[in-house]
Amino acid sequence: MIIPFRKTLMVLAFSALSGLALADTPARVGRIALAQGPVNISSEVGEEATAALVNWPVTTSNQIVTQRNGRTEIRIGSTSVRLDGDSSLDVVELDDDTLRLHLHYGSLSLRVRNAEVLRGLDISTPQGVVRMREPGRLRIDAERVRDTTNVSVFEGTAQVDGGGSSLAVRAGKRVDVHDDDVRTALAVRDSFDDWSLQRDARDERTTSDRYVTTEMTGYEELDQHGVWRDDSDYGPLWTPRSVAADWVPYRDGRWTYLAPWGWTWVDNAPWGYAPSHYGRWVLVRQRWSWAPGRNIGRPVWAPALVGWVGGNNWNLAFNDNGTRRNAPAQGWYPLNPGESYVPGYHLPPEHLRHHNRHARPDYRPGRHDGLTVVGLNLFVGRGQIVVPRAPRPLLTPLTTQNAPFGAPPRPQGNWRNRFDRDGDGRSDRNGPGRVITVPSGDGQPFSRRDGRPGDNERFVRTPPQVLTTNEPQRSLAEKDRRQREAEIERRERDQVNERRLREMETDGRRSLETQQRLREAELAERQRQADGERLRGAEREQRQHALDSERRQREAEAQLQGQRDALNRQQAERLQRDASNRQIAERLQRDADQERLRQVERQQQADRQQQAERQQREAETARRQQAERQQQDAENARRQQAERQQRDADNERRQQAERQQREAQQREAQQRDAQQREAAQAQARQAQQQQQAQQQQAKQQAQQQKQAEEADKRERAREQRQDRQDRRDNVQQQIR
């Protein structure tokens, strides 16, 4: 088949489901992040509930119920909602800017990290409404005590409206809301709060928020199960760790039909939510890696970012209990970042541009890496399609290459549109016109009788394929051959388009004959719907009666629990009184012991004061004696210096007289003068020796005095230590 026409058929096949959702679909969807014990989820109030699986999408009108031993965690971006056992929660509204929850009964723990989600967030209970004013963590208990809602704030601030008043509750406080009364107390944690704190601790250690926004639901699972790296072509890439060598995305999980999006993928891996509903998968070095893209901004959720092939016109051989049989096949493959995502539901233009922000009009994949194929008959029923257990055919390169583009059909039966609550087949609110891209195989292609598009419809054509600029250069003959082939392809495409237009005109004429039959079938279908609605009403009444019985049983159990709590409180009060009496006696005994110790300390303080005064007097005496010794030493030194000076003066006068005499009798008394000088020098030496001996004696006396003082000090210190030891022994003997 010609490639441009094949791509046109792919776009046309996707539009076959466009009538399912005429209104804009939300870009934010939550997930079941954890399910412990019996946990059930239903898509509408009153519908049959199914067991909640990890990665199951959570959106508007979902109801989550936990049994007595069950617990679950719901993640919506960075916001965590956890339910304890025996709880029932309704998701009243969940879209891009609003999250409204209603807790019928049970315990709910809420953790909000992003201040941007606070504006549209509120939780209602039978007694009131709770709104958070700043990011934090709180807990709500509804109907644990009859007609009572308890709100405990552990972090942040909350606004509680109920009981005829509005109250701001800060961290560490609790509010008990009754129908006509509000009471405050201190917040108390239990095992459910400790479990919630352990779950929150994982988000504190994550590093994935460096690569994706925290409002991408499921991002918290990536660190534990994979590795991040930067790629020059695709930007951030995340590669799972523990997967088989032949592992392929969108193969280990199941398909379920979720209105209004259509067929939605639920991955079996705990980390499979974010890589299945955001970004694209790429094959790098023979390993699959997930590329969320650069500058992702606010994420937009998708049921599955895959391309569909197959349908009634694609038959393959299946092995059915050892017998080979040909049957229609349906396949899908992960979209590459360069491929355009064409949803089967209506999206705002900015959301569609977000999905295709990296798509290239000239991208030609050539082959479908990671193709998975099952029987088309699996997509006809209402049940889930478990892919690992579904029979798959043996694929060959030829069958893969010739696979036509086509999306799976809508399940048979009456699937209500989430925006068509009245069941009249039209949206409850005005939505943009449909995008008609293919003539339907089982009805009139366009709304007008002549086969032309209606006023609110537009015909979308796929642009012709353009050769990429990175193809190798070829010879002129090759270019001519390619031009001829392109001309032949254009002619064939024109012929096919003309033939299809003629078929459309024929279908338009035939539609006049089938409209009456369609109207009759529609009337019969509406009658069956009315009968089914009456039956569902009776079932709802029975279910409501069962819920009332269960509620009365819970009330009786709560009353018994209240009586047991009263007995426990009385016993606790008696124990508390006994403990108080014991504490009073112990306190009196401690006071008496402390008084005795204070008396002993006062006595010791007086002794220390007396000892300090004695030491001070001794120190003053020692300083006075030392000053007297220093004064005596100074007087001795001055006296010795005066004596030396006097001797020196006498010597000088005598020497002067001798010089005068020598001058007079120089020639005659030289020998006598020499003898006198020698005698004077000997006398001076003798005087100097006497002075040195006196100084040495003074030093010895000072050293002996110092040694005597040190011995005296040591003796006094030993006496003081002995006195202190005696007083300590006396005090201990008095205490004993």
Side-chain angles (χ1 to χ4, degrees):
M1 184 178 291
I2 303 172
I3 293 177
F5 188 60
R6 287 175 57 185
K7 294 186 71 67
T8 303
L9 284 181
M10 180 184 70
V11 178
L12 298 178
F14 278 125
S15 67
L17 300 176
S18 61
L20 298 178
L22 303 182
D24 292 344
T25 53
R28 186 170 64 156
V29 176
R31 69 182 276 255
I32 299 293
L34 180 68
Q36 294 180 353
V39 181
N40 297 326
I41 184 172
S42 59
S43 57
E44 297 283 350
V45 177
E47 290 189 359
E48 183 179 358
T50 59
L53 301 176
V54 175
N55 292 331
W56 195 270
V58 176
T59 183
T60 302
S61 298
N62 281 158
Q63 184 179 27
I64 299 96
V65 179
T66 61
Q67 301 302 323
R68 185 174 300 275
N69 297 323
R71 280 180 179 174
T72 185
E73 178 182 352
I74 305 165
R75 290 298 295 254
I76 304 142
S78 61
T79 303
S80 304
V81 181
R82 301 181 179 93
L83 293 179
D84 201 3
D86 193 18
S87 303
S88 176
L89 177 70
D90 275 354
V91 182
V92 180
E93 186 176 2
L94 174 57
D95 55 24
D96 299 359
D97 303 313
T98 306
L99 174 58
R100 296 176 55 221
L101 307 174
H102 181 77
L103 182 64
H104 292 283
Y105 58 86
S107 300
L108 178 146
S109 176
L110 178 67
R111 173 64 164 150
V112 177
R113 299 177 179 272
N114 188 355
E116 296 179 359
V117 305
L118 294 176
R119 183 169 51 187
L121 172 64
D122 64 67
I123 306 98
S124 60
T125 68
Q127 285 74 36
V129 180
V130 182
R131 299 179 180 89
M132 295 193 70
R133 296 306 181 192
E134 59 185 24
R137 183 170 56 89
L138 59 80
R139 171 177 173 171
I140 302 175
D141 297 288
E143 297 296 331
R144 293 297 191 192
V145 179
R146 183 176 180 180
D147 299 332
T148 303
T149 294
N150 310 108
V151 181
S152 301
V153 180
F154 299 106
E155 296 178 15
T157 305
Q159 186 77 22
V160 180
D161 299 331
S165 62
S166 180
L167 185 64
V169 186
R170 300 188 180 276
K173 299 295 184 180
R174 188 189 73 189
V175 175
D176 300 334
V177 182
H178 307 277
D179 292 335
D180 55 357
D181 186 20
V182 175
R183 300 178 182 177
T184 60
L186 295 178
V188 180
R189 287 187 352 192
D190 61 6
S191 60
F192 177 54
D193 300 309
D194 295 337
W195 175 75
S196 300
L197 284 174
Q198 292 178 359
R199 297 288 298 174
D200 287 332
R202 298 191 315 159
D203 296 345
E204 304 296 338
R205 300 188 298 268
T206 184
T207 59
S208 295
D209 53 2
R210 305 175 187 172
Y211 306 96
V212 296
T213 174
T214 56
E215 292 309 311
M216 176 182 288
T217 304
Y219 82 97
E220 70 278 359
E221 302 286 352
L222 300 177
D223 277 359
Q224 185 179 357
H225 300 93
V227 179
W228 286 98
R229 63 183 177 89
D230 288 322
D231 186 82
S232 58
D233 296 331
Y234 301 105
L237 287 181
W238 178 84
T239 305
R241 288 195 189 96
S242 301
V243 293
D246 58 348
W247 178 85
V248 173
Y250 299 102
R251 185 170 292 178
D252 183 16
R254 63 191 68 206
W255 291 103
T256 183
Y257 195 85
L258 182 65
W261 292 277
W263 289 106
T264 303
W265 178 256
V266 180
D267 204 274
N268 286 338
W271 49 263
Y273 191 87
S276 299
H277 302 289
Y278 308 95
R280 303 293 178 89
W281 284 94
V282 295
L283 194 60
V284 180
R285 300 186 187 94
Q286 302 303 316
R287 287 198 66 182
W288 286 98
S289 298
W290 178 60
R294 296 187 180 93
N295 301 324
I296 189 171
R298 189 169 186 177
V300 178
W301 188 85
L305 292 160
V306 298
W308 294 94
V309 297
N312 290 322
N313 297 326
W314 193 42
N315 293 340
L316 296 178
F318 288 84
N319 187 1
D320 188 6
N321 296 327
T323 304
R324 294 176 62 86
R325 61 179 181 86
N326 290 333
Q330 186 72 57
W332 61 89
Y333 60 93
L335 288 176
N336 191 279
E339 297 180 84
S340 295
Y341 172 66
V342 183
Y345 53 94
H346 190 271
L347 272 179
E350 61 272 14
H351 291 177
L352 188 58
R353 284 195 297 270
H354 177 89
H355 281 305
N356 296 325
R357 62 191 183 278
H358 301 300
R360 303 193 303 271
D362 59 344
Y363 183 79
R364 298 173 61 187
R367 63 178 185 178
H368 307 314
D369 292 323
L371 179 64
T372 304
V373 180
V374 298
L376 180 63
N377 61 318
L378 298 178
F379 289 91
V380 176
R382 292 190 175 204
Q384 303 174 18
I385 304 171
V386 183
V387 176
R389 294 202 298 263
R392 292 197 292 270
L394 179 62
L395 297 178
T396 62
L398 181 61
T399 57
T400 303
Q401 183 179 0
N402 295 331
F405 294 93
R410 180 185 181 185
Q412 296 178 357
N414 181 24
W415 282 81
R416 293 178 57 188
N417 191 332
R418 66 185 296 106
F419 301 112
D420 182 18
R421 301 298 182 186
D422 53 5
D424 60 353
R426 294 176 298 176
S427 175
D428 294 338
R429 57 180 179 178
N430 294 329
R434 289 186 297 161
V435 181
I436 302 300
T437 58
V438 66
S440 175
D442 54 355
Q444 187 173 347
F446 301 114
S447 59
R448 291 185 176 180
R449 294 184 178 182
D450 57 358
R452 293 183 294 110
D455 295 334
N456 65 334
E457 300 167 346
R458 55 191 175 91
F459 190 85
V460 179
R461 297 184 183 272
T462 302
Q465 295 292 321
V466 181
L467 295 178
T468 57
T469 57
N470 57 355
E471 291 185 357
Q473 298 294 330
R474 302 179 184 275
S475 62
L476 294 177
E478 182 68 17
K479 292 183 179 179
D480 294 339
R481 186 181 64 80
R482 292 179 64 85
Q483 290 178 358
R484 288 194 299 272
E485 291 179 354
E487 183 66 24
I488 294 172
E489 289 178 355
R490 283 195 296 272
R491 292 177 182 176
E492 291 179 354
R493 184 171 63 253
D494 294 339
Q495 293 175 2
V496 171
N497 289 335
E498 292 175 359
R499 185 167 60 254
R500 185 164 293 280
L501 289 175
R502 289 195 297 270
E503 292 176 356
M504 290 167 57
E505 293 175 357
T506 303
D507 292 337
R509 290 190 297 269
R510 291 177 181 175
S511 63
L512 296 176
E513 300 175 357
T514 58
Q515 283 182 356
Q516 185 63 30
R517 291 194 296 273
L518 292 175
R519 292 194 189 95
E520 294 176 356
E522 185 177 359
L523 291 175
E525 182 65 23
R526 289 185 178 179
Q527 183 64 29
R528 286 194 297 273
Q529 290 179 3
D531 296 339
E533 188 65 28
R534 286 194 296 272
L535 291 175
R536 285 191 293 273
E539 292 177 356
R540 283 195 294 270
E541 291 178 357
Q542 294 177 358
R543 192 174 292 106
Q544 185 64 33
H545 180 69
L547 290 175
D548 294 339
S549 300
E550 186 178 356
R551 180 177 178 179
R552 287 193 294 271
Q553 183 179 359
R554 286 198 303 273
E555 291 174 356
E557 293 177 355
Q559 185 176 3
L560 292 176
Q561 183 65 29
Q563 294 176 358
R564 287 194 294 270
D565 293 341
L567 293 175
N568 292 333
R569 283 195 298 272
Q570 292 176 1
Q571 185 178 1
E573 290 175 356
R574 288 195 300 272
L575 294 175
Q576 188 174 3
R577 286 195 297 272
D578 296 339
S580 300
N581 294 331
R582 287 195 299 272
Q583 290 177 358
I584 292 172
E586 292 175 356
R587 188 165 57 252
L588 293 174
Q589 183 65 29
R590 285 196 301 271
D591 293 341
D593 295 339
Q594 290 176 359
E595 183 63 26
R596 287 194 297 271
L597 290 175
R598 282 194 293 272
Q599 292 178 359
V600 173
E601 289 177 355
R602 285 195 295 270
Q603 183 65 28
Q604 291 178 354
Q605 186 175 5
D607 296 340
R608 286 194 297 271
Q609 186 174 2
Q610 293 176 1
Q611 183 178 0
E613 293 176 354
R614 187 168 57 254
Q615 291 177 355
Q616 186 176 4
R617 288 194 300 270
E618 293 175 354
E620 290 178 354
T621 302
R623 285 195 299 272
R624 188 168 54 253
Q625 293 176 356
Q626 185 176 4
E628 292 176 355
R629 286 195 299 272
Q630 291 177 354
Q631 186 176 1
Q632 292 176 1
D633 294 339
E635 291 177 355
N636 294 330
R638 285 195 299 271
R639 187 169 54 254
Q640 292 175 0
Q641 185 176 5
E643 292 176 355
R644 285 195 301 272
Q645 291 177 356
Q646 183 66 31
R647 286 195 299 271
D648 294 339
D650 294 340
N651 293 331
E652 184 67 25
R653 285 192 299 271
R654 190 167 48 254
Q655 291 175 2
Q656 186 176 6
E658 291 176 354
R659 283 195 300 273
Q660 290 176 1
Q661 188 176 1
R662 282 195 303 274
E663 289 176 357
Q665 300 175 359
Q666 184 174 6
R667 295 186 182 91
E668 300 168 354
Q670 289 181 351
Q671 188 174 4
R672 188 173 54 252
D673 292 339
Q675 293 176 354
Q676 291 178 354
R677 282 196 299 273
E678 291 177 358
Q681 291 176 357
Q683 186 177 3
R685 284 195 297 273
Q686 185 177 3
Q688 187 176 1
Q689 291 177 357
Q690 291 178 358
Q691 184 179 359
Q692 291 178 355
Q694 291 177 357
Q695 291 178 355
Q696 184 68 24
Q697 185 177 4
K699 289 181 181 179
Q700 291 178 357
Q701 291 178 357
Q703 186 175 3
Q704 292 176 358
Q705 183 67 24
K706 185 176 181 180
Q707 291 177 356
E709 290 175 357
E710 289 178 355
D712 190 17
K713 289 181 180 179
R714 286 195 296 272
E715 183 64 19
R716 287 197 299 272
R718 187 182 62 78
E719 292 176 357
Q720 292 174 2
R721 287 195 299 272
Q722 185 65 30
D723 292 340
R724 286 196 297 271
Q725 182 66 29
D726 295 339
R727 286 194 297 272
R728 191 179 300 109
D729 295 339
N730 294 333
V731 170
Q732 291 179 357
Q733 186 174 4
Q734 291 177 4
I735 293 174
R736 287 195 293 270

